[in-house]
Amino acid sequence: MKKYNRWKKIYLFLMLFFYGIFVPVTAAEWLFSDAGFPFTAVVVGIGLPPMRKNHLAQLKSQASIQ
């Protein structure tokens, strides 16, 4: 369970960083400058929640097996 709780905190930090800082800054940069479309922000924005859910479920199942 220690591993699960540690990763839960890491994912909380990652989600706060990406959704609170990275995605809004990248979107504003795209809207107000000549920067290209923010593919990285879109991919991370779509991919991070399922990745988090699957990884935490895997850690939880490993903890219950051991």
Side-chain angles (χ1 to χ4, degrees), residues 2 4 7 10 12 18 21-22 24-26 32-34 42-43 49 52-53 59-63:
K2 285 183 186 179
Y4 175 81
W7 273 104
I10 291 170
L12 176 64
F18 280 110
I21 298 170
F22 182 72
V25 168
T26 307
F32 301 117
S33 71
D34 292 337
V42 171
V43 169
R52 174 184 172 263
K53 181 181 176 188
L59 289 173
K60 198 177 235 183
S61 70
Q62 285 177 356

Side-chain angles (χ1 to χ4, degrees):
M1 242 7 194
K2 285 183 186 179
K3 205 174 195 182
Y4 175 81
N5 289 332
R6 182 180 46 184
W7 273 104
K8 195 172 178 181
K9 289 177 188 176
I10 291 170
Y11 279 122
L12 176 64
F13 171 76
L14 285 173
M15 297 203 50
L16 287 173
F17 173 75
F18 280 110
Y19 291 115
I21 298 170
F22 182 72
V23 172
V25 168
T26 307
E29 184 179 75
W30 175 59
L31 290 173
F32 301 117
S33 71
D34 292 337
F37 186 76
F39 289 111
T40 306
V42 171
V43 169
V44 169
I46 293 172
L48 187 60
M51 182 183 79
R52 174 184 172 263
K53 181 181 176 188
N54 289 337
H55 187 224
L56 290 176
Q58 185 180 28
L59 289 173
K60 198 177 235 183
S61 70
Q62 285 177 356
S64 66
I65 291 172
Q66 294 175 353

